[in-house]
Amino acid sequence: MLIESGCASENTVSLLPAILEPTPAASLSSLFAGQHVERLASGALFWQGDRATHVFEVVEGVLRIVHAFSDGRRVVAGFLFARDLVGVSVRECYPYTVEAVVPIKVRRLSWGRFEDEITEAPGLRDQLVAHLRDEMASVHSQVVRLAHGNAEERLCGFLMSMARRMNGDRWPAVIVDLPMSRLDIADHLGLTIETVSRAMTRLRQQGVVSKIGRYAVAVRRPKKLAVLSGDDEESGSEEVSIRSN
Amino acid sequence: MLIESGCASENTVSLLPAILEPTPAASLSSLFAGQHVERLASGALFWQGDRATHVFEVVEGVLRIVHAFSDGRRVVAGFLFARDLVGVSVRECYPYTVEAVVPIKVRRLSWGRFEDEITEAPGLRDQLVAHLRDEMASVHSQVVRLAHGNAEERLCGFLMSMARRMNGDRWPAVIVDLPMSRLDIADHLGLTIETVSRAMTRLRQQGVVSKIGRYAVAVRRPKKLAVLSGDDEESGSEEVSIRSN
DNA sequence: CGCTCTCTTGAGCCACGTCAAAGGGTGTGG
DNA sequence: CCACACCCTTTGACGTGGCTCAAGAGAGCG
């Protein structure tokens, strides 16, 4: 039974004794603390192909990571929320556009300044590595979600991850905000808006969720949602699958 | 015209003056130089859910990154080749199984030792960050590929990325080795073996590729392959697409 | 109240999944 | 050296989930 549900966050750093940390900057976020807060009601924070000149911290709101294609098609690779960092995993040019889903507030740091600060504080380097690893895990699970299931499973997986992120990893969450449009969700899950809509309707009919206004749902049957998302699985060995209920 | 085709590799590090590097270890790979070479004919290097005790360097051969589900379905999140590192982006437990596609050789380092070496050499920390960023870019493009196109586009994208990786980023490549089975490719692209097979046949009929034995193809029309994969796109703005040649 | 934008619902079609069988390469044993 | 068996791949026939096209329903706003 190795499945200690979790295997997540905040451990890499603590593996090293916290003794040698002379700097007061405890977290990557604190680097942005002194920076001016910028507001953006809508549109792009930066464009795919631009030189990566800045790193951002999301203060408030939601953004989407977008790959645009010349044929008009679009892929939403992910969403960004308060406290997320933008651009730290980029090397030279931004490989995607980042746009505001709702009016947002961000702080920015020039790439050079960010690098300098990181270089001077070993603790922050570790935090950066930890952050990149978390980001990897998140993108990785998105790969699995896209390759794996049908429309309903993908939507359930998306709702689960939204519930977790917006609730500080508390689960089950009752209310899940979905500030992005159906088109954003569709492009994120590799589906069309119609299919997303139908899948959502089916979930409502099954009593798994119910709509609250337009941009939120209430999770009525968290367990069923988890099962449908295929999130509880990941066995790989034979001797599982007893699971009553 | 910001699109300097490239925007890639080996710059993050050189932004910092290379003055302060007392250690002889120039690259992450060199950490593994003294380690015993292990051989694995087939089966898993480690299992999904295992505690992440080691970091590996692939010396020779090909491996696959596998997510297994309790219902028997499988997702191949990616493939690993010579010089690739395995496990550096993991935090506590391996979130996937890594298996040998062909008989492989690897070197290993304990997690603790890896961390220690990294901590002592600032240059290596930068390399680690650079490595994680490259890995992010790779996984990111996999997300885009899965969310974007139909079977043929996905297969073309896969062939392109295989051609690039096995040829040290030289393109166009004539011969592309495909040591993995159709099932591996199918699970990687979110398709079935039959669909992969049919897509491959269609590419052959169009004269884009031709089969060489069982585990390799020759690229006959690289340009068409690139177009079909949707790789040349990524515009986003209107005024591009001049690009002679 | 009417306009517009987004979401929902419906009908038909097509690409891909499923089921089934045949083809081809590889290894083993006669 | 051939024969057989096994496994992987290819090809075919058919069904279905999701895409396309089209219309209708809410919600925000002047």
Side-chain angles (χ1 to χ4, degrees), chain A residues 89-243:
Chain A
S89 63
V90 168
R91 285 194 79 146
E92 179 94 344
C93 298
Y94 299 115
Y96 40 68
T97 300
V98 167
E99 300 169 333
V101 171
V102 298
I104 57 156
K105 296 178 187 170
V106 295
R107 294 195 183 97
R108 82 168 70 200
L109 223 48
S110 77
W111 177 263
R113 169 106 184 270
F114 181 74
E115 277 293 318
D116 290 347
E117 299 266 16
I118 291 289
T119 305
E120 283 167 25
L124 289 185
R125 260 260 175 283
D126 290 332
Q127 290 245 344
L128 175 58
V129 170
H131 175 88
L132 287 171
R133 283 173 171 152
D134 281 347
E135 211 175 316
M136 270 297 297
S138 159
V139 179
H140 210 89
S141 70
Q142 177 62 10
V143 167
V144 172
R145 184 174 308 139
L146 284 172
H148 184 239
N150 60 15
E152 198 167 307
E153 288 171 312
R154 291 187 206 179
L155 181 59
C156 288
F158 172 68
L159 291 177
M160 294 268 299
S161 74
M162 283 296 292
R164 282 205 213 89
R165 291 185 86 168
M166 308 217 75
N167 260 28
D169 288 288
R170 276 199 312 278
W171 175 260
V174 184
I175 306 292
V176 180
D177 284 320
L178 300 173
M180 66 290 296
S181 70
R182 288 285 185 273
L183 183 59
D184 286 336
I185 298 175
D187 287 344
H188 182 53
L189 300 178
L191 302 168
T192 60
I193 51 173
E194 294 94 333
T195 301
V196 170
S197 189
R198 276 186 258 266
M200 194 74 91
T201 301
R202 230 173 301 134
L203 289 184
R204 238 185 304 127
Q205 289 167 344
Q206 294 173 31
V208 178
V209 301
S210 54
K211 276 175 64 174
I212 297 183
R214 194 160 167 181
Y215 290 117
V217 297
V219 178
R220 298 292 179 198
R221 301 168 67 180
K223 210 163 185 172
K224 184 155 189 183
L225 182 63
V227 171
L228 288 175
S229 75
D231 192 62
D232 52 352
E233 350 206 10
E234 343 188 345
S235 76
S237 62
E238 326 305 303
E239 64 210 1
V240 191
S241 74
I242 301 171
R243 172 190 303 191

Side-chain angles (χ1 to χ4, degrees), chain B residues 196-230:
Chain B
V196 170
S197 189
R198 276 186 259 264
M200 193 75 90
T201 301
R202 228 173 302 133
L203 289 182
R204 239 185 304 128
Q205 290 168 343
Q206 294 172 32
V208 178
V209 301
S210 55
K211 276 175 66 173
I212 298 183
R214 194 163 170 181
Y215 290 117
V217 296
V219 179
R220 298 291 179 199
R221 303 168 68 180
K223 212 163 186 174
K224 183 155 189 183
L225 182 63
V227 171
L228 288 174
S229 75

Side-chain angles (χ1 to χ4, degrees), chain B residues 36-209:
Chain B
H36 171 62
V37 173
E38 301 173 48
R39 288 155 198 271
L40 181 66
S42 67
L45 192 59
F46 53 78
W47 294 88
Q48 177 174 347
D50 285 358
R51 270 199 103 73
T53 53
H54 292 86
V55 174
F56 302 84
E57 184 199 25
V58 181
V59 175
E60 194 184 304
V62 182
L63 300 97
R64 59 175 170 256
I65 299 168
V66 179
H67 276 259
F69 291 81
S70 53
D71 60 7
R73 286 181 298 184
R74 225 177 56 131
V75 172
V76 174
F79 296 97
L80 297 161
F81 304 92
R83 315 228 93 210
D84 281 347
L85 302 182
V86 193
V88 300
S89 63
V90 169
R91 285 194 79 147
E92 179 95 341
C93 298
Y94 298 116
Y96 40 67
T97 300
V98 167
E99 299 170 333
V101 171
V102 298
I104 57 157
K105 296 177 188 170
V106 296
R107 294 194 183 98
R108 83 168 68 201
L109 224 47
S110 76
W111 176 264
R113 169 106 183 269
F114 181 74
E115 278 293 318
D116 289 347
E117 299 266 15
I118 292 288
T119 305
E120 283 168 25
L124 289 185
R125 260 263 176 278
D126 290 331
Q127 290 247 346
L128 175 59
V129 170
H131 175 87
L132 287 171
R133 283 172 171 153
D134 282 348
E135 211 175 316
M136 271 297 296
S138 160
V139 179
H140 210 87
S141 70
Q142 176 63 8
V143 167
V144 172
R145 183 174 308 137
L146 284 172
H148 184 238
N150 60 16
E152 198 167 308
E153 287 171 311
R154 290 188 206 178
L155 182 58
C156 288
F158 172 68
L159 290 177
M160 294 268 298
S161 75
M162 283 296 293
R164 282 207 213 87
R165 291 186 85 166
M166 308 217 74
N167 260 29
D169 290 288
R170 277 198 311 278
W171 175 259
V174 184
I175 306 293
V176 180
D177 285 320
L178 300 173
M180 65 291 294
S181 70
R182 289 286 185 273
L183 184 59
D184 286 337
I185 298 175
D187 287 344
H188 183 53
L189 300 178
L191 301 168
T192 60
I193 51 174
E194 295 93 333
T195 301
V196 170
S197 189
R198 276 186 259 264
M200 193 75 90
T201 301
R202 228 173 302 133
L203 289 182
R204 239 185 304 128
Q205 290 168 343
Q206 294 172 32
V208 178
V209 301

